[in-house]
């Protein structure tokens, strides 16, 4: 078993789009209408939007490879790229997605550790994320990793307003 990580570049745009669609669908399609899923996927993961995000100097994407196959990815944000104003001492872990067939191999923890490493390199005091209140597996994982709920915000899946819990971990 080999696990590797690679920072994404604009050359990875289509691969990023493909894995974004796949992992988001696997995770959320069973709990949302097809119309709302399609609306969200088209808005969040169209090539123009992903190119804009990849080009933002305050955001970084990383692919995680399991035995040389792309298994998932991580997106982190600092400064004004954060989806909530958490200040310049915070790093947001906006996306951490693993394909279903690669879950339970420690890849989520691997990506979380990468995000914490980046946060510490940049002298951030906390790392935070938003997670859907109905995503019980993710909530359990983040709690196990030392995150606590510190708030909530709205997340729109198509025309449906949902609630994401803000989970925060203070770094020492």
């Amino acid at each position: 078993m080999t696990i590797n990580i690679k920072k994404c570049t604009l050359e990875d745009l289509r691969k990023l789009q493909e894995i974004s669609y796949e992992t988001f669908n696997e995770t959320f399609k069973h709990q949302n209408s097809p119309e709302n899923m399609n609306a969200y996927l088209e808005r969040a993961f169209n090539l123009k939007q992903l190119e804009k995000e990849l080009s933002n100097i305050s955001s970084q994407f990383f692919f995680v490879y399991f035995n040389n196959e792309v298994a998932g990815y991580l997106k982190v944000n600092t400064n004004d790229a954060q989806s909530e104003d958490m200040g310049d001492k915070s790093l947001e872990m906006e996306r951490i997605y693993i394909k279903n067939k690669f879950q339970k191999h420690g890849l989520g923890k691997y990506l979380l550790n990468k995000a914490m490493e980046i946060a510490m390199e940049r002298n951030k005091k906390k790392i935070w994320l938003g997670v859907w209140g109905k995503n019980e597996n993710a909530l359990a994982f983040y709690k196990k990793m030392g995150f606590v709920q510190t708030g909530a915000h709205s997340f729109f899946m198509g025309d449906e307003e949902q609630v994401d819990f803000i989970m925060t971990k203070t770094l020492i």
Side-chain angles (χ1 to χ4, degrees):
M1 168 177 95
T2 59
I3 300 173
N4 299 306
I5 196 162
K6 174 189 171 281
K7 186 175 179 183
C8 299
T9 67
L10 286 172
E11 293 176 5
D12 298 311
L13 188 60
R14 292 199 182 277
K15 188 188 302 184
L16 179 62
Q17 182 185 46
E18 183 180 306
I19 194 165
S20 295
Y21 272 102
E22 182 178 347
T23 55
F24 200 87
N25 254 320
E26 285 180 342
T27 305
F28 301 111
K29 73 179 176 185
H30 302 296
Q31 295 170 298
N32 292 282
S33 73
E35 298 79 19
N36 284 339
M37 282 293 295
N38 290 336
Y40 180 81
L41 290 169
E42 179 52 37
R43 180 176 57 85
F45 303 129
N46 70 69
L47 290 175
K48 187 175 180 180
Q49 178 63 33
L50 289 173
E51 182 177 1
K52 178 182 168 187
E53 292 177 23
L54 269 169
S55 300
N56 187 330
I57 61 169
S58 295
S59 295
Q60 292 179 288
F61 288 81
F62 299 89
F63 288 137
V64 64
Y65 290 83
F66 186 83
N67 293 335
N68 300 316
E69 186 178 343
V70 176
Y73 76 100
L74 166 72
K75 180 188 180 197
V76 295
N77 299 316
T78 56
N79 306 319
D80 61 346
Q82 294 180 85
S83 61
E84 294 280 336
D85 183 9
M86 300 296 244
D88 63 355
K89 292 295 181 190
S90 296
L91 178 134
E92 176 185 19
M93 195 168 60
E94 184 180 1
R95 297 184 193 136
I96 182 169
Y97 292 128
I98 306 293
K99 293 179 183 180
N100 282 352
K101 73 179 185 174
F102 294 109
Q103 291 183 2
K104 308 297 183 203
H105 291 287
L107 300 177
K109 186 175 181 181
Y110 189 85
L111 290 176
L112 175 60
N113 286 336
K114 178 66 175 176
M116 291 194 316
E117 175 186 311
I118 293 166
M120 289 187 270
E121 286 171 359
R122 295 180 180 195
N123 297 313
K124 302 302 181 187
K125 301 292 183 211
K126 65 181 177 177
I127 187 168
W128 72 278
L129 56 96
V131 60
W132 189 26
K134 293 184 180 180
N135 190 344
E136 293 174 9
N137 288 341
L139 284 167
F141 170 72
Y142 295 126
K143 286 177 185 173
K144 179 180 168 188
M145 299 308 296
F147 285 77
V148 295
Q149 183 180 345
T150 55
H153 66 188
S154 293
F155 177 89
F156 285 89
M157 177 67 74
D159 63 3
E160 181 185 344
E161 184 175 10
Q162 300 178 352
V163 176
D164 274 5
F165 296 150
I166 304 290
M167 307 283 291
T168 305
K169 179 176 178 141
T170 301
L171 302 173
I172 298 172

